[in-house]
Amino acid sequence: RLSEPWTSPWSGETSPVGTRITLSSVVALSKKKQITIPIPNATALMLSAAEHAYNSARAIRDQCAIDKSLHQHVAFQDDAQTFDYLEGKVVSIVLAYTAIEAFVNEVIPEVFSYTRTKRDGSQEQLNKSAIERHVNMDEKLCTILPSVLSCLSPKGSRCWQAYRQLKEIRDRVVHMKTED
């Protein structure tokens, strides 16, 4: 929101204090058509989509009374429900992890640099772009984020264990093997 009045150099119109400003992008849909869309916060977008997928899967599970049944062996009502449930769970897992990754990359300041020791013992200095591409999530969460936010590393905490579980499940879904 504007903290002071602003006059557009293109239209000459003045926007008052408190006017909401939305960063937008123009995207070509075809050679003759463009669409203007607000640029969303990637973390919020991924987390929202993960929640929708999770809630959809949860609703299917509730509808089939999977958890209410006293029987030892339970099943969904049909294959379509089974696959819709699994799809929702997979989507929610992948997007929840992606939300964490988007958040971590978003929080790193543009001017931040990180020095790490390579396997051969030499030092390597990385800028934001290199950190985003070449530093794994565990290192970003345990070392880089605490440095950027002046907070403790989450390693060893309950939230760290939950993150590690999510990562393991996400890795198994994304890099699926026969046993999965």
Side-chain angles (χ1 to χ4, degrees), residues 5-171:
W6 176 78
T7 302
S8 168
W10 302 282
S11 69
E13 291 183 35
T14 299
S15 299
V17 171
T19 301
R20 181 176 172 211
I21 302 297
T22 303
L23 185 60
S24 297
S25 180
V26 178
V27 180
L29 294 175
S30 66
K31 288 182 180 181
K32 296 181 180 182
K33 190 178 283 189
Q34 298 177 330
I35 186 170
T36 300
I37 59 171
I39 298 176
N41 175 280
T43 302
L45 192 67
M46 294 299 132
L47 200 53
S48 177
E51 182 182 27
H52 288 301
Y54 174 84
N55 289 340
S56 174
R58 185 78 235 175
I60 293 167
R61 187 170 171 152
D62 291 345
Q63 180 184 7
C64 294
I66 298 288
D67 299 309
K68 291 180 181 177
S69 174
L70 298 176
H71 297 287
Q72 227 177 355
H73 298 313
V74 294
F76 291 97
Q77 294 168 358
D78 56 41
D79 289 352
Q81 279 187 324
T82 303
F83 299 147
D84 287 346
Y85 172 79
L86 292 171
E87 180 182 292
K89 293 296 277 188
V90 165
V91 168
S92 69
I93 290 163
V94 171
L95 293 181
Y97 184 87
T98 304
I100 295 170
E101 189 169 33
F103 172 76
V104 169
N105 288 336
E106 183 180 295
V107 169
I108 300 169
E110 289 296 328
V111 295
F112 186 80
S113 68
Y114 173 60
T115 304
R116 69 176 178 182
T117 304
K118 294 174 20 178
R119 289 184 183 179
D120 65 4
S122 64
Q123 296 286 303
E124 172 181 43
Q125 189 160 354
L126 305 171
N127 63 14
K128 177 180 174 121
S129 179
I131 293 167
E132 289 176 338
R133 287 175 171 51
H134 304 295
V135 177
N136 69 49
M137 276 290 292
D138 290 2
E139 191 172 351
K140 287 178 190 178
L141 286 168
C142 289
T143 306
I144 294 173
L145 229 53
S147 174
V148 168
L149 299 175
S150 300
C151 64
L152 296 174
S153 169
K155 199 168 193 172
S157 67
R158 280 187 26 213
C159 72
W160 180 254
Q161 295 308 317
Y163 157 75
R164 294 294 298 165
Q165 261 186 319
L166 175 64
K167 181 180 180 197
E168 181 181 335
I169 294 167
R170 178 258 181 202
D171 287 350

